[in-house]
Amino acid sequence: MSASPRLWNFPGGIAPLAHKAESLRGPIRRTTLPPQLIVPLTQPGHVAPNVLVQTGERVRKGQILACGDDATGVTVHAPAAGVINAIGEQSVANMSALPELCVIIDTDAAETTWDKLPPLDYRTADADTLIARIADCGISGLGGAGFPTHAKLRAALRKIDIVIVNAAECEPWITADEALLRERAADVVAGSKILLQLTGALRCLIGIEDSKPQAVAALQAAVDDPRLKVVVFPARYPSGAEAQLIYTLTGKEMPSGTRPVHNGILCHNVGTVYAIARAVLHGEALLSRIVTITGGAVSDAANYEASIGTPISFLLQQSGFDERSLSQLVCGGSLMGIALPHAQLPVAKTTNCVIAATRSELPPPQPEQACIRCGDCADVCPVQLVPQQLYWFARSQQFDQARANHLNDCIECGACAWVCPSHIPLVQYYRAAKAELAEQDTKQQHAVHWRQRFEAHQHRMALEQAQAEQRRAERAALAAQKQEQAVKAGPSPQDIVAAALARVQAKKAAQAAAKPSSDDDNGASS
Amino acid sequence: MNDVMLTSSPHSHQGTSVGQIMRQLLLACVPGAAALWFCFGWGVVINIAWFSALALLLEASILKLRKRPVLATLRDCSAVLTAVLLALSVPPTLPWWAGLTGIAFAIVVGKQLYGGLGFNPFNPAMAGYAALLIAFPVQMTRWLLPDGVTPALPSLADSLSIFLDRELLQGIDAYTGATPLDKFRQHGEQLVSEFWQSTPLMGQWSGRGWEWINAGFLFGGLYLLYKRIISWHIPVAFIAALALLAALFYDGGNAHSHGSPLMHLFAGGTMLGAFFITTDPVTAATTLRGKVIYGALIGGVVFLIRAFGNYPDGIAFAVLLGNAAAPLIDALTRPRTFGHPQ
């Protein structure tokens, strides 16, 4: 590193045991092809995917299986050649534990031809071409949230000053990004340059913790562009959380409720940047990703380049899995990961790590005790919330208070629960309260919607009534006017003629009756 | 596959517990308690034992009545800590029934009636102290003369007799006398330096014996800071406010002086209050700025009570006042959330 750039300190943070060395002993391994792949067709926002294949159909490696409905959809490719065994709902490693639509492929290991797109020269290609390529290659965020990369880039086309590549990987156990950087830093650098070209940003900061010296060295050796800078900062969880990383590197706080692209910053995970480079430079769709398999229940922890859809159990077996010592299976890191019910779930585009933990590594939670308001949670909160107050609000269902105290800014990093001496599962309380707030919001939106409709209806009715009134009033006024004119002008000539005619008729009728009747002028002329 | 555990994130924990914190606090009391024992004899030890036993018994009974887990809760050591802090605050001559009253008030009324640990708005030990001071003013102000001032401290047998409220052969008055803070309030027209020479009660910087007791609690407090059991905000603000006011009213040590800052810092319950009482997280302010305000408020009130109030020491009342103000202080000093304007 030439001159050490200025760093900003985000508030709070913790320093848990890293547990990273276990899975970094060797290089990234390529696995043999599993006999079956379970490829999730997950689309953002729970949109139903458009499935383009049928059961029994033979697919080539790289063939499109499904795509989304609109501009934000994610294209899913066949990670290997084979025959579609089934298309249906399968359990996947997600927070809701709800099954998702998957394509099950019986793989054909003999067929290795890969349908690739032609390479693009990113220096001459325009932004639309590059974004279309990224969309065609089915890239979504590999860091965790899985947001479609092309949608994020399209949103970023306004004005981006800084591209940030997130190589912090601050969470314990996970080493997928670190392994990737150690071996393939050149592609990450190439991907960063593509992003610079695409957005027109002037500089790119690659942020990485100082606990990864080999990855830092590989990155620095690969950087060949003065616009790119590798920024090394002290390891502290959660330095890799987006807002915290941006603050560390730039000193800019993302205003609550806005995304970095609204503030001139585009932030991508290294894995995503690598996938972008492969897509643009080699025309490769996202068919595999690096997954860390680690924990005391595997004897041989390592990083694997695994095809999307590889069953986690397949990877565990390759790492010397000892089922008897398994206590907990976690997808992701130990602080934000999801506990998995079993290992028959597939690797998804967001699966960065699986921890097969023994009881001593991730011990069962201790019974919850009373909060003693020690404030340790507030000291470690990277968003500077007051977690213990939020806990009281969540517990006593004072959701409005929770909202007013910025519960929705909580990033669920788990630092508060990690330090809590009373072992209160704070994040669990916050998730429940957030869900409650979201439901309230939905109800509120519905209520507003129906009130607006009702008010519009009322307004319409009132308007109609008013118009009717007006018409009536106009008619009345007209009639009154006529009457007035009639009075002023006396009987009109026509009236006199008509009256005369009527009298004549009446007379005739009377004569016809042969009996002269009394005068009934009035009645005939009326 | 065998049954795996399904827990919500985070799946790991730092490994601390409430019991650990309380045990560290108890450990940190040892130097100050030892100094108290050295200066005042067995009464201190008897009080600690009696109060602790009572606290455990009362807490267990109430937990049983409230149908709460008894053993798991007793293991958090908070009842014992309350007992020890109260035992270290009261005179070593307290009869058993006074101790019973104080602990009963502290544990039953001050803590459990509010819902137990974490729910009590007032520091239980100080609530017990205040109740005792109001109910039994004579017993609560009957301090022993420290070692070095009195020819002999009460023997273990005499201490037990005092505890059991039996008449002593030579009468208890042979052992008791005014505390330095009490004596200082009656320095009349003397200059501070004259007063210092006129009584054997005063030592190097403050009351004889008391300065070592306070040094002991200061040492324990520094240990707590080092162990990060407490943060510096409350003790530093408390001590700074007390010292600042004492310096302002020192007045060159003339006849109207209210005593030097050093005397105040090492007299009475200053250091016990600064590091062990005011730092009780349940009843203190929790935000960082709030802690500073809270500590300074209590330090200031302690000085006002000592200098202008009716009690020689004012830790308990100042702490209770601070406790009452803590929720308001917290509400007014909420930190700015990351990504939000001030």
Side-chain angles (χ1 to χ4, degrees), chain B:
Chain B
M1 192 141 120
N2 53 353
D3 276 348
V4 289
M5 208 164 51
L6 285 176
T7 54
S8 171
S9 69
H11 307 285
S12 65
H13 192 274
Q14 186 180 26
T16 49
S17 73
V18 173
Q20 244 174 45
I21 294 173
M22 299 293 173
R23 282 189 286 278
Q24 287 287 327
L25 279 156
L26 283 169
L27 182 67
C29 283
V30 169
L36 263 169
W37 172 67
F38 184 81
C39 294
F40 295 107
W42 289 104
V44 178
V45 181
I46 294 170
N47 273 350
I48 291 176
W50 174 235
F51 284 29
S52 301
L54 280 177
L56 285 172
L57 190 75
L58 286 167
E59 174 124 316
S61 321
I62 302 285
L63 286 170
K64 193 101 190 155
L65 278 175
R66 292 179 57 214
K67 299 186 173 62
R68 297 293 156 99
V70 175
L71 278 180
T73 311
L74 289 186
R75 219 175 289 144
D76 70 24
C77 293
S78 62
V80 175
L81 183 66
T82 297
V84 169
L85 292 178
L86 184 54
L88 295 175
S89 313
V90 298
T93 57
L94 211 61
W96 65 271
W97 47 264
L100 173 64
T101 315
I103 280 291
F105 194 84
I107 297 288
V108 179
V109 181
K111 185 179 174 190
Q112 288 295 340
L113 283 191
Y114 283 106
L117 180 65
F119 296 89
N120 48 306
F122 295 103
N123 185 309
M126 289 303 101
Y129 186 94
L132 278 175
L133 189 57
I134 292 163
F136 313 116
V138 176
Q139 286 81 357
M140 280 297 283
T141 46
R142 193 175 64 185
W143 271 91
L144 291 173
L145 288 169
D147 186 49
V149 178
T150 178
L153 285 170
S155 63
L156 180 57
D158 278 358
S159 299
L160 278 169
S161 294
I162 296 171
F163 171 68
L164 296 171
D165 210 9
R166 297 218 181 103
E167 284 297 319
L168 296 185
L169 267 180
Q170 64 274 51
I172 193 172
D173 293 347
Y175 296 119
T176 58
T179 63
L181 276 175
D182 213 6
K183 190 81 176 169
F184 184 83
R185 290 160 64 83
Q186 300 144 16
H187 71 96
E189 292 302 307
Q190 287 174 308
L191 299 179
V192 170
S193 52
E194 286 172 356
F195 166 76
W196 220 262
Q197 275 151 18
S198 71
T199 169
L201 277 175
M202 303 313 283
Q204 288 288 317
W205 331 292
S206 186
R208 190 169 291 190
W210 287 99
E211 48 198 21
W212 288 107
I213 293 162
N214 274 282
F217 286 119
L218 172 62
F219 180 74
L222 293 177
Y223 169 78
L224 291 176
L225 281 178
Y226 167 73
K227 283 290 205 175
R228 291 169 181 258
I229 301 290
I230 59 173
S231 73
W232 59 268
H233 304 80
I234 295 175
V236 167
F238 175 96
I239 289 169
L242 179 58
L244 187 73
L245 280 176
L248 280 177
F249 288 90
Y250 180 55
D251 216 0
N254 69 22
H256 301 294
S257 173
H258 289 290
S260 73
L262 215 51
M263 182 191 92
H264 280 287
L265 293 190
F266 287 89
T270 303
M271 292 300 169
L272 179 68
F275 290 98
F276 293 85
I277 308 282
T278 53
T279 54
D280 165 29
V282 175
T283 57
T286 56
T287 63
L288 294 186
R289 277 184 304 150
K291 282 179 181 176
V292 172
I293 295 170
Y294 172 83
L297 173 73
I298 296 177
V301 174
V302 165
F303 180 79
L304 293 180
I305 294 176
R306 283 182 182 179
F308 308 109
N310 277 327
Y311 292 98
D313 203 350
I315 304 282
F317 292 113
V319 167
L320 294 176
L321 205 69
N323 292 163
L328 181 67
I329 296 173
D330 267 349
L332 294 177
T333 56
R334 192 170 297 141
R336 182 184 68 86
T337 308
F338 195 70
H340 282 265
Q342 186 61 57

Side-chain angles (χ1 to χ4, degrees), chain A residues 149-233:
Chain A
T149 302
H150 59 95
K152 193 165 169 180
L153 288 172
R154 207 161 273 136
L157 279 181
R158 297 171 244 193
K159 171 107 187 71
I160 292 296
D161 304 316
I162 309 174
V163 171
I164 288 179
V165 176
N166 187 347
E169 202 172 46
C170 57
E171 211 179 338
W173 298 96
I174 314 172
T175 58
D177 290 348
E178 191 175 353
L180 178 79
L181 283 173
R182 283 183 181 194
E183 297 181 26
R184 305 175 194 177
D187 274 337
V188 172
V189 168
S192 308
K193 288 197 282 191
I194 294 171
L195 288 175
L196 280 175
Q197 172 74 21
L198 199 158
T199 57
L202 295 178
R203 58 198 183 110
C204 170
L205 304 173
I206 305 176
I208 185 165
E209 286 191 338
D210 61 3
S211 55
K212 305 169 174 58
Q214 275 182 266
V216 171
L219 264 176
Q220 276 164 348
V223 167
D224 55 357
D225 188 314
R227 295 173 299 170
L228 262 64
K229 193 169 261 172
V230 181
V231 185
V232 184
F233 47 82

